Amino acid sequence: MKSFTLKFVAITLAAAFSSTAFAAESIKASVNGMVCAFCAQGIEKRLSSMPATKAVLVDLKKKVVAVEAKEGQTLDREAIRHEIKEAGYDVTKLETVPQSVAEIRAQMKAAK
């Protein structure tokens, strides 16, 4: 019984450590001016082509754009702001969040 408990604790700690050690980092932006699927597609295409980008989320209703970094890479906040502005939209807020795009999507879906 003691051996089982120690193994369980070790596995639990390893899982907790590995999930926080490799936590995803994303940049989340509030964007004005997006009104249609074409707008979303243009932003997504521009941001997806950036070298450090793993995933992109564009939510028209909530006016949110999220960009997730590839593992071991860092996103350039100003480059993201620049790409969104070059696409013709205004960035009103830009923040770094410790979540993946999938987590942000799930969180936004749950808030509906």
Side-chain angles (χ1 to χ4, degrees):
M1 180 71 169
K2 194 175 192 180
S3 173
F4 172 76
T5 304
L6 288 175
K7 285 180 185 176
F8 177 75
V9 170
I11 291 169
T12 304
L13 287 174
F17 177 74
S18 66
S19 66
T20 56
F22 298 109
E25 179 181 281
S26 299
I27 292 181
K28 191 173 170 183
S30 298
V31 179
N32 283 336
M34 299 185 301
V35 294
C36 65
F38 184 73
C39 299
Q41 186 179 34
I43 291 172
E44 185 174 353
K45 186 176 180 180
R46 279 178 166 268
L47 297 175
S48 293
S49 69
M50 296 176 74
T53 299
K54 177 179 179 180
V56 177
L57 164 70
V58 180
D59 187 306
L60 291 172
K61 285 185 181 181
K62 297 193 190 270
K63 300 182 185 302
V64 170
V65 174
V67 184
E68 181 181 343
K70 290 178 182 172
E71 190 174 319
Q73 295 195 25
T74 304
L75 296 167
D76 182 341
R77 294 168 53 96
E78 291 312 308
I80 290 170
R81 181 188 305 274
H82 175 77
E83 288 297 325
I84 294 170
K85 284 188 170 205
E86 283 295 307
Y89 308 98
D90 293 320
V91 178
T92 59
K93 183 179 177 183
L94 199 66
E95 62 182 323
T96 302
V97 295
Q99 298 169 302
S100 69
V101 163
E103 291 168 327
I104 294 168
R105 182 179 285 117
Q107 185 180 42
M108 290 173 73
K109 200 174 214 180
K112 285 185 178 180

